[in-house]
Amino acid sequence: VGACAAVALVSWLWIAQQLWRAHRLEVWLRIGQVDQAPALKGLWRDLSDRMRRLLQQRDKQVQLHIDRLQFFLRAIQASPNGVTLLDSQGRIEWCNDTAAQHLGIDPQRDQLQHVVHMVRDPVFSRYFAQERHDSEVVIEGRSPSLAQSVKLSVQLHPYGDGQQLLLTRDITTLHQAESMRRDFVANVSHEIRTPL
């Protein structure tokens, strides 16, 4: 009986020690501090070392993806065209500074606002309501002064799972050049017709 009791006590102590080590490992994994692995012995040490290596690899992969995402966002930010990412319901998820300037929106404050509520232009509202967006549409952009009119070329491109990419391009100079060309042609044709 004494030998059985001693074996049971030793077994219970061994199980309690293993449970304590498992608990320490579980607490470490829950906290997520990779560099603060508990000092364990035997099989538990091997297990914690493998987990630490896996977590370090995961952290490196996550950092690599974050760096690549930041690289792409900086590239889009440097674009002379406005880029706005819309979710499947037409709400603003992200936009570069050019798009914010073109459309008169604040990238942080207006996040998750519906784009039609932010771009209050009837031409854009009709364009957005269409099922297909094969061509671009010209709308009035936000101008820094009342004396200056800004023309924007806007086009929606579907991507992902129902999301849309809204591209804006400032065509004010092109619009002014086209207007000057029309005026010139009208004046020349009038001057030629008058003597005839």
Side-chain angles (χ1 to χ4, degrees):
V1 172
C4 287
V7 168
L9 179 63
V10 168
S11 298
W12 185 85
L13 288 174
W14 184 84
I15 291 172
Q17 184 182 37
Q18 300 308 315
L19 288 174
W20 172 247
R21 289 175 178 168
H23 173 71
R24 289 182 63 197
L25 190 63
E26 190 266 334
V27 167
W28 169 64
L29 289 173
R30 190 174 347 116
I31 293 172
Q33 298 285 339
V34 177
D35 54 344
Q36 294 180 359
L40 300 172
K41 295 179 182 178
L43 175 66
W44 293 104
R45 179 178 179 157
D46 293 340
L47 190 59
S48 68
D49 287 345
R50 284 187 183 187
M51 287 181 179
R52 188 178 72 250
R53 281 194 299 274
L54 287 172
L55 289 173
Q56 286 172 339
Q57 288 175 354
R58 182 208 62 185
D59 288 349
K60 285 179 184 176
Q61 288 292 324
V62 167
Q63 189 58 48
L64 178 67
H65 291 305
I66 289 172
D67 292 344
R68 293 189 82 183
L69 176 64
Q70 291 302 320
F71 173 77
F72 286 122
L73 289 178
R74 282 194 302 272
I76 294 172
Q77 198 66 264
S79 171
N81 296 326
V83 179
T84 306
L85 304 179
L86 305 175
D87 68 8
S88 58
Q89 279 135 30
R91 295 177 302 196
I92 299 168
E93 289 186 325
W94 182 86
C95 72
N96 65 356
D97 292 339
T98 307
Q101 181 185 0
H102 284 171
L103 303 174
I105 58 178
D106 185 298
Q108 280 78 36
R109 184 193 66 217
D110 298 331
Q111 193 172 18
L112 297 180
Q113 296 294 320
H114 200 283
V115 70
V116 173
H117 298 157
M118 305 312 298
V119 182
R120 297 178 181 269
D121 188 302
V123 174
F124 179 75
S125 297
R126 284 193 301 275
Y127 175 72
F128 189 83
Q130 294 174 359
E131 293 217 7
R132 295 179 56 113
H133 304 103
D134 297 330
S135 61
E136 58 188 24
V137 66
V138 177
I139 65 170
E140 293 288 329
R142 296 289 174 101
S143 64
S145 67
L146 294 173
Q148 184 181 2
S149 174
V150 175
K151 298 288 185 187
L152 294 177
S153 167
V154 176
Q155 187 164 13
L156 284 164
H157 298 276
Y159 77 97
D161 190 22
Q163 293 98 337
Q164 292 181 311
L165 178 70
L166 175 64
L167 296 178
T168 58
R169 188 168 46 101
D170 189 343
I171 58 166
T172 306
T173 320
L174 292 172
H175 192 267
Q176 289 171 346
E178 179 63 23
S179 178
M180 288 171 56
R181 185 193 66 79
R182 280 195 309 268
D183 291 346
F184 175 75
V185 169
N187 286 338
V188 167
S189 64
H190 174 73
E191 293 298 328
I192 290 174
R193 253 180 296 157
T194 301
L196 292 176

Short mmCIF file of all heavy atoms in Angstrom, two decimals, residues 1 6 11 16-17 29 32 42 54 58 67-68 73 75 78 87 114 122 136 139 142 144 149 151 156 171 186:
data_model
loop_
_atom_site.label_atom_id
_atom_site.label_comp_id
_atom_site.label_asym_id
_atom_site.label_seq_id
_atom_site.Cartn_x
_atom_site.Cartn_y
_atom_site.Cartn_z
N VAL A 1 0.85 -1.20 0.00
CA VAL A 1 0.00 0.00 0.00
C VAL A 1 0.88 1.24 0.00
O VAL A 1 0.62 2.21 -0.70
CB VAL A 1 -0.95 -0.01 1.23
CG1 VAL A 1 -1.69 1.30 1.35
CG2 VAL A 1 -1.92 -1.17 1.15
N ALA A 6 3.19 5.92 -2.74
CA ALA A 6 4.37 6.67 -3.18
C ALA A 6 4.36 6.85 -4.69
O ALA A 6 4.64 7.95 -5.22
CB ALA A 6 5.65 5.97 -2.73
N SER A 11 3.52 10.26 -9.29
CA SER A 11 2.79 10.48 -10.54
C SER A 11 2.01 11.78 -10.50
O SER A 11 2.01 12.56 -11.46
CB SER A 11 1.82 9.32 -10.81
OG SER A 11 2.53 8.12 -10.96
N ALA A 16 1.38 17.32 -12.10
CA ALA A 16 1.23 18.72 -11.69
C ALA A 16 2.35 19.57 -12.28
O ALA A 16 2.11 20.70 -12.75
CB ALA A 16 1.23 18.82 -10.17
N GLN A 17 3.56 19.05 -12.30
CA GLN A 17 4.69 19.79 -12.87
C GLN A 17 4.49 19.99 -14.38
O GLN A 17 4.74 21.08 -14.91
CB GLN A 17 5.99 19.02 -12.60
CG GLN A 17 7.22 19.73 -13.07
CD GLN A 17 8.49 18.91 -12.83
OE1 GLN A 17 8.47 17.69 -12.96
NE2 GLN A 17 9.57 19.59 -12.49
N LEU A 29 2.24 32.16 -24.87
CA LEU A 29 1.64 32.24 -26.20
C LEU A 29 0.49 33.24 -26.23
O LEU A 29 0.27 33.94 -27.22
CB LEU A 29 1.16 30.87 -26.66
CG LEU A 29 2.26 29.86 -27.00
CD1 LEU A 29 1.66 28.50 -27.26
CD2 LEU A 29 3.06 30.35 -28.20
N GLY A 32 1.98 36.79 -26.26
CA GLY A 32 2.52 37.06 -27.59
C GLY A 32 3.89 37.70 -27.60
O GLY A 32 4.33 38.18 -28.64
N GLY A 42 13.59 20.03 -20.80
CA GLY A 42 13.18 18.81 -21.48
C GLY A 42 12.34 19.07 -22.73
O GLY A 42 12.63 19.96 -23.54
N LEU A 54 8.92 29.57 -34.91
CA LEU A 54 7.77 29.75 -35.80
C LEU A 54 7.16 31.15 -35.67
O LEU A 54 6.80 31.78 -36.66
CB LEU A 54 6.71 28.68 -35.52
CG LEU A 54 7.04 27.28 -35.99
CD1 LEU A 54 5.99 26.29 -35.48
CD2 LEU A 54 7.11 27.23 -37.51
N ARG A 58 6.89 34.03 -38.45
CA ARG A 58 5.61 34.69 -38.74
C ARG A 58 5.74 36.21 -38.63
O ARG A 58 5.25 36.95 -39.49
CB ARG A 58 4.54 34.19 -37.78
CG ARG A 58 3.16 34.79 -38.06
CD ARG A 58 2.32 34.87 -36.85
NE ARG A 58 2.94 35.73 -35.85
CZ ARG A 58 2.47 35.92 -34.64
NH1 ARG A 58 1.41 35.27 -34.25
NH2 ARG A 58 3.07 36.72 -33.79
N ASP A 67 5.77 46.12 -44.95
CA ASP A 67 6.71 46.95 -45.71
C ASP A 67 6.30 47.05 -47.17
O ASP A 67 6.35 48.12 -47.77
CB ASP A 67 8.14 46.39 -45.61
CG ASP A 67 8.71 46.52 -44.20
OD1 ASP A 67 8.15 47.30 -43.40
OD2 ASP A 67 9.71 45.83 -43.91
N ARG A 68 5.87 45.93 -47.75
CA ARG A 68 5.44 45.95 -49.16
C ARG A 68 4.18 46.79 -49.33
O ARG A 68 4.04 47.54 -50.29
CB ARG A 68 5.21 44.53 -49.67
CG ARG A 68 6.50 43.75 -49.73
CD ARG A 68 6.33 42.44 -50.42
NE ARG A 68 6.40 42.71 -51.86
CZ ARG A 68 6.23 41.80 -52.77
NH1 ARG A 68 5.94 40.58 -52.43
NH2 ARG A 68 6.32 42.09 -54.04
N LEU A 73 1.59 51.82 -51.09
CA LEU A 73 0.82 53.01 -50.72
C LEU A 73 1.61 54.29 -51.01
O LEU A 73 1.03 55.29 -51.45
CB LEU A 73 0.42 52.95 -49.24
CG LEU A 73 -0.64 51.91 -48.89
CD1 LEU A 73 -0.91 51.92 -47.39
CD2 LEU A 73 -1.92 52.15 -49.66
N ALA A 75 3.80 54.58 -53.40
CA ALA A 75 3.78 54.72 -54.86
C ALA A 75 2.46 55.31 -55.33
O ALA A 75 2.43 56.21 -56.18
CB ALA A 75 4.03 53.37 -55.52
N ALA A 78 2.22 58.97 -54.56
CA ALA A 78 3.01 59.83 -55.44
C ALA A 78 2.36 60.02 -56.81
O ALA A 78 2.83 60.83 -57.60
CB ALA A 78 4.41 59.24 -55.62
N ASP A 87 -15.43 50.32 -50.89
CA ASP A 87 -15.86 48.97 -50.55
C ASP A 87 -17.05 48.57 -51.42
O ASP A 87 -17.47 49.31 -52.31
CB ASP A 87 -16.16 48.84 -49.05
CG ASP A 87 -17.38 49.64 -48.60
OD1 ASP A 87 -18.10 50.19 -49.46
OD2 ASP A 87 -17.61 49.70 -47.38
N HIS A 114 -20.14 57.23 -47.62
CA HIS A 114 -20.48 56.87 -48.99
C HIS A 114 -19.97 57.95 -49.93
O HIS A 114 -20.12 59.14 -49.67
CB HIS A 114 -21.99 56.69 -49.13
CG HIS A 114 -22.36 55.89 -50.33
ND1 HIS A 114 -22.34 56.39 -51.61
CD2 HIS A 114 -22.73 54.59 -50.45
CE1 HIS A 114 -22.71 55.46 -52.46
NE2 HIS A 114 -22.94 54.34 -51.77
N PRO A 122 -24.47 65.94 -59.50
CA PRO A 122 -25.51 65.11 -60.11
C PRO A 122 -24.98 64.21 -61.23
O PRO A 122 -25.45 63.09 -61.40
CB PRO A 122 -26.53 66.11 -60.65
CG PRO A 122 -26.10 67.45 -60.20
CD PRO A 122 -24.76 67.36 -59.58
N GLU A 136 -15.29 57.19 -69.01
CA GLU A 136 -15.11 58.18 -67.95
C GLU A 136 -16.18 59.25 -68.08
O GLU A 136 -16.85 59.37 -69.11
CB GLU A 136 -13.72 58.79 -68.02
CG GLU A 136 -13.40 59.45 -69.33
CD GLU A 136 -11.96 59.87 -69.43
OE1 GLU A 136 -11.11 59.29 -68.74
OE2 GLU A 136 -11.69 60.78 -70.21
N ILE A 139 -16.66 65.83 -64.39
CA ILE A 139 -17.41 66.52 -63.34
C ILE A 139 -16.64 67.76 -62.90
O ILE A 139 -15.47 67.93 -63.22
CB ILE A 139 -17.68 65.61 -62.13
CG1 ILE A 139 -16.37 65.23 -61.42
CG2 ILE A 139 -18.46 64.37 -62.54
CD1 ILE A 139 -16.56 64.53 -60.08
N ARG A 142 -13.25 70.28 -56.90
CA ARG A 142 -13.13 71.32 -55.86
C ARG A 142 -12.00 72.25 -56.24
O ARG A 142 -10.88 71.82 -56.43
CB ARG A 142 -12.84 70.69 -54.50
CG ARG A 142 -13.95 69.81 -53.99
CD ARG A 142 -15.14 70.66 -53.58
NE ARG A 142 -16.26 69.84 -53.21
CZ ARG A 142 -16.61 69.58 -51.96
NH1 ARG A 142 -15.91 70.07 -50.97
NH2 ARG A 142 -17.65 68.82 -51.71
N PRO A 144 -9.62 75.76 -55.54
CA PRO A 144 -9.14 76.56 -54.40
C PRO A 144 -9.77 77.95 -54.35
O PRO A 144 -9.80 78.57 -53.30
CB PRO A 144 -7.63 76.63 -54.62
CG PRO A 144 -7.41 76.30 -56.05
CD PRO A 144 -8.56 75.48 -56.49
N SER A 149 -12.24 77.39 -62.24
CA SER A 149 -13.06 76.19 -62.37
C SER A 149 -12.16 74.99 -62.63
O SER A 149 -11.24 75.06 -63.43
CB SER A 149 -14.05 76.37 -63.52
OG SER A 149 -14.75 75.18 -63.75
N LYS A 151 -11.98 70.98 -63.75
CA LYS A 151 -12.67 69.88 -64.41
C LYS A 151 -11.93 68.58 -64.10
O LYS A 151 -10.71 68.52 -64.22
CB LYS A 151 -12.71 70.07 -65.93
CG LYS A 151 -13.47 71.31 -66.37
CD LYS A 151 -14.94 71.11 -66.17
CE LYS A 151 -15.69 72.31 -66.72
NZ LYS A 151 -17.10 72.26 -66.41
N LEU A 156 -14.77 54.72 -62.73
CA LEU A 156 -14.82 53.63 -61.76
C LEU A 156 -14.35 52.33 -62.42
O LEU A 156 -14.70 52.05 -63.57
CB LEU A 156 -16.24 53.44 -61.25
CG LEU A 156 -16.74 54.47 -60.24
CD1 LEU A 156 -18.24 54.40 -60.12
CD2 LEU A 156 -16.09 54.26 -58.90
N ILE A 171 -8.33 67.52 -65.64
CA ILE A 171 -8.26 67.83 -67.08
C ILE A 171 -8.61 69.28 -67.33
O ILE A 171 -9.05 69.64 -68.43
CB ILE A 171 -9.19 66.89 -67.88
CG1 ILE A 171 -10.63 67.00 -67.39
CG2 ILE A 171 -8.71 65.46 -67.82
CD1 ILE A 171 -11.63 66.38 -68.33
N ALA A 186 -14.36 79.06 -84.24
CA ALA A 186 -15.57 79.86 -84.43
C ALA A 186 -15.21 81.25 -84.93
O ALA A 186 -15.87 81.79 -85.85
CB ALA A 186 -16.35 79.95 -83.12
#
